[in-house]
Amino acid sequence: MLLRGERLGEISEDVLEFISSREADRWIYEADLLVDRAHLVMLKERGLITPEEFGEIVAGLDKIDEENLGEGEDVHEAIEAELISKVGAVGGRMHTGRSRNDEVATCIRIVLREEVLSLMAEVNGLAKALVERAAENADSIIPGFTHLQHAQPTTLAHHLLAHADTLLRDFERLSDSYPRINRSPLGAAAFASTGFDIDRNRTAELLGFDGLIENSMDAVSTRDFLLEALSCSAILMANLSRLAEELILWSTSEFGYVELDNLFTSTSSIMPQKKNPDTAELVRGKTGSVFGSLVSALAICKALPMSYNRDLQEATPNLWRGISLTRGAVTIMAGAVSSAKFRCDRLEAASGAGFSTATELADSLVRKTGIPFRTAHQIVGALAVKDERPTIRDLDEAAERIAKFRPSERGFGEDELKTALDPNENVALRSKIGGPAPKETRRMAADRKSRIEENERLVGEMRGRVDQALESLREMR
Ligand code: ARG
């Protein structure tokens, strides 16, 4: 144990285990070595260590192997101890003007920005899968639901594009959070900064950060960036669970609208005929776990006084859990969506069920006969009481009873009725912006496709900036 020395003496195994973050620190091991290196480069440039010392320490760092790390409360202590055992007392210069408090906050941000960039790419990939399936299905007529009751006919493209647009907002949320993640707390030291003549902007630049978390007290104590990433993940999962739920419902024999590829299903250990949508169910289930990660982290960070408190260590594993569950779910859904077989025949057959063309019948009556919409709503509502498809006689009778006129005598005859009751005609009429008509969904699909390409470019650019900085840093000897 490097740190306790005469001040505290030995520690017992159970206490060490209790206070240790070593398990979760697997996530930040690589980042910690980068932070060490950037700090050393800066110390050398500021004349706080000599070039020779720098060379010896960096050569020692290069030889460190995660497998061989010894004990310690955390990875920071273990790496420093290992370094000193390799290069001797000179290794003790590395921690000049630094604390584990700014170190750990920096490490978390370095790993999180990578995770967020990957998640952004994955979310964009899922949106792309949805848009591609939408483009194939501009003409596939399907039932649309409200309250999970047949409502009005729509198209599969319209439905899938709704999910795609939702995910594109999730992409934006993640992208918006990124500039608040990618800021450097390094150099804040324990919280009060340091009397050494360090250069915080230089370490920030070396590590590919876009700037500083300036106030050194704020820098070590805030985890709002992590709460924000978890919030984005939780909202994303809430959205994803809706898609998952529909895949589950739609693949029941009651709906029979979709069949998931075998790869995304499991069977039963007792019922040989079963093909269960387990991947979608687990997306739905893992949504709860991601919410749990967010709520745990919020509860841990709540009401902590300034500045660093060890409680913060307990928040971090929730971040890694939340973000990796989210990434896994997004990737699985992209595969499930791309390979799903939509049963367009069944979807179309169901599209007129439950008198789902009633709204259009009322609308057509308004357009042809000039009656107020509410009157038309009353007339068509009366027709809906019966189970059979209404005839023109039914319509005339109901209109006569309710509004004292006969539609067939005011230009609304057999042909008009037939058209109003045709799901395809219903959809074709709904060609206004954002509507389900094939013309409009084709336009939306093309627009989203170019947005998705733009997103791909954006992620590549953001990643490129970070990678370039880290590549140069790794080469510094
Ligand atoms: N492992 C700690 C964490 O994850 C960092 C160490 C800070 N320790 C301290 N005694 N100040 O937050």
Side-chain angles (χ1 to χ4, degrees):
M1 296 284 299
L2 179 69
L3 304 178
R4 297 178 69 87
E6 284 186 21
R7 174 68 177 88
L8 295 179
E10 290 299 302
I11 193 168
S12 68
E13 222 160 273
D14 53 342
V15 174
L16 180 59
E17 196 187 319
F18 185 76
I19 66 173
S20 169
S21 57
R22 286 296 292 277
E23 184 155 336
D25 285 352
R26 282 181 294 118
W27 281 84
I28 57 170
Y29 167 77
E30 294 283 345
D32 198 55
L33 290 174
L34 288 166
V35 171
D36 287 345
R37 196 177 282 267
H39 187 63
L40 287 163
V41 168
M42 182 277 294
L43 289 179
K44 181 191 68 172
E45 289 174 356
R46 305 299 293 175
L48 294 166
I49 56 174
T50 66
E52 294 70 39
E53 288 166 341
F54 172 79
E56 281 173 59
I57 299 172
V58 167
L61 279 182
D62 283 341
K63 287 197 212 96
I64 289 181
D65 179 357
E66 191 175 8
E67 302 289 303
N68 301 332
L69 286 186
E71 288 206 311
E73 284 179 34
D74 51 34
V75 73
H76 320 293
E77 184 187 6
I79 287 177
E80 190 182 340
E82 179 70 3
L83 174 71
I84 292 171
S85 85
K86 286 202 184 321
V87 304
V90 66
R93 293 194 182 278
M94 181 167 75
H95 212 59
T96 309
R98 180 176 92 166
S99 155
R100 286 182 295 167
N101 299 351
D102 58 340
E103 198 179 346
V104 70
T106 310
C107 290
I108 298 170
R109 287 170 185 271
I110 287 173
V111 177
L112 180 56
R113 71 183 174 192
E114 279 299 322
E115 291 294 309
V116 167
L117 287 174
S118 301
L119 180 54
M120 282 166 66
E122 288 150 3
V123 170
N124 202 44
L126 174 53
K128 187 175 179 178
L130 285 160
V131 170
E132 280 168 5
R133 299 311 306 268
E136 292 161 17
N137 283 290
D139 299 299
S140 311
I141 308 292
I142 70 166
F145 296 85
T146 62
H147 312 262
L148 204 55
Q149 306 279 325
H150 287 268
Q152 294 180 37
T154 183
T155 53
L156 187 49
H158 193 228
H159 194 121
L160 295 174
L161 285 170
H163 283 296
D165 279 4
T166 305
L167 284 157
L168 289 172
R169 283 192 299 276
D170 287 310
F171 178 95
E172 266 177 34
R173 249 187 296 279
L174 288 163
S175 171
D176 289 348
S177 75
Y178 186 86
R180 283 179 290 279
I181 296 169
N182 197 30
R183 304 209 158 260
S184 176
L186 197 59
F191 81 91
S193 83
T194 174
F196 288 106
D197 183 25
I198 62 165
D199 182 349
R200 292 189 62 193
N201 284 313
R202 179 62 175 144
T203 45
E205 181 194 10
L206 287 165
L207 288 165
F209 285 111
D210 295 326
L212 300 180
I213 299 290
E214 200 176 74
N215 183 309
S216 61
M217 192 177 262
D218 182 29
V220 295
S221 62
T222 187
R223 293 293 183 270
D224 58 1
F225 67 98
L226 159 173
L227 298 175
E228 190 173 356
L230 280 172
S231 306
C232 294
S233 300
I235 296 171
L236 161 52
M237 288 300 286
N239 287 332
L240 208 56
S241 70
R242 300 176 60 204
L243 176 57
E245 171 74 356
E246 287 185 344
L247 289 177
I248 295 162
L249 271 180
W250 283 24
S251 56
T252 59
S253 37
E254 284 71 17
F255 279 78
Y257 294 170
V258 74
E259 186 177 350
L260 292 181
D261 188 83
N262 288 348
L263 186 58
F264 295 94
T265 64
S266 298
T267 189
S268 154
S269 63
I270 177 172
M271 299 167 284
Q273 87 286 7
K274 291 281 276 176
K275 175 170 171 176
N276 298 324
D278 298 43
T279 49
E281 292 171 281
L282 280 165
V283 168
R284 194 173 58 182
K286 284 169 197 265
T287 299
S289 299
V290 174
F291 291 1
S293 299
L294 168 63
V295 172
S296 297
L298 281 168
I300 291 162
C301 295
K302 161 187 175 292
L304 284 181
M306 287 288 176
S307 58
Y308 181 85
N309 297 277
R310 195 63 176 263
D311 313 43
L312 293 175
Q313 174 174 299
E314 196 64 17
T316 319
N318 291 292
L319 172 65
W320 306 138
R321 175 174 150 84
I323 203 108
S324 51
L325 287 173
T326 305
R327 287 188 57 192
V330 170
T331 309
I332 282 287
M333 284 302 259
V337 166
S338 298
S339 59
K341 247 197 251 112
F342 291 101
R343 308 268 309 270
C344 292
D345 49 334
R346 281 190 59 104
L347 281 158
E348 178 158 8
S351 67
F355 198 7
S356 69
T357 49
T359 309
E360 181 48 38
L361 177 53
D363 289 351
S364 305
L365 274 173
V366 169
R367 288 196 294 268
K368 287 280 173 196
T369 70
I371 58 171
F373 175 76
R374 187 56 58 215
T375 308
H377 181 273
Q378 298 279 333
I379 296 167
V380 178
L383 298 177
V385 173
K386 289 207 309 181
D387 274 344
E388 307 93 75
R389 219 179 140 85
T391 61
I392 196 73
R393 262 188 63 181
D394 298 330
L395 180 62
D396 276 344
E397 268 171 31
E400 183 78 70
R401 201 168 61 246
I402 290 168
K404 312 273 172 289
F405 85 108
R406 301 174 72 81
S408 65
E409 290 163 10
R410 284 226 223 145
F412 195 97
E414 293 282 359
D415 282 354
E416 286 72 20
L417 180 64
K418 190 162 164 255
T419 305
L421 296 181
D422 180 344
N424 278 284
E425 298 285 351
N426 272 239
V427 162
L429 271 172
R430 283 158 175 71
S431 60
K432 290 282 159 310
I433 187 164
K439 178 171 143 279
E440 178 56 8
T441 57
R442 284 201 178 94
R443 181 197 64 77
M444 285 196 275
D447 172 77
R448 301 326 184 247
K449 185 167 174 274
S450 57
R451 241 195 261 176
I452 286 165
E453 283 162 8
E454 173 60 21
N455 287 349
E456 268 170 25
R457 203 189 53 70
L458 185 78
V459 174
E461 210 178 87
M462 289 157 94
R463 181 166 273 144
R465 277 205 299 275
V466 168
D467 287 351
Q468 207 174 13
L470 297 187
E471 225 170 277
S472 327
L473 176 61
R474 284 196 187 93
E475 280 160 16
M476 289 184 180
R477 289 285 176 296

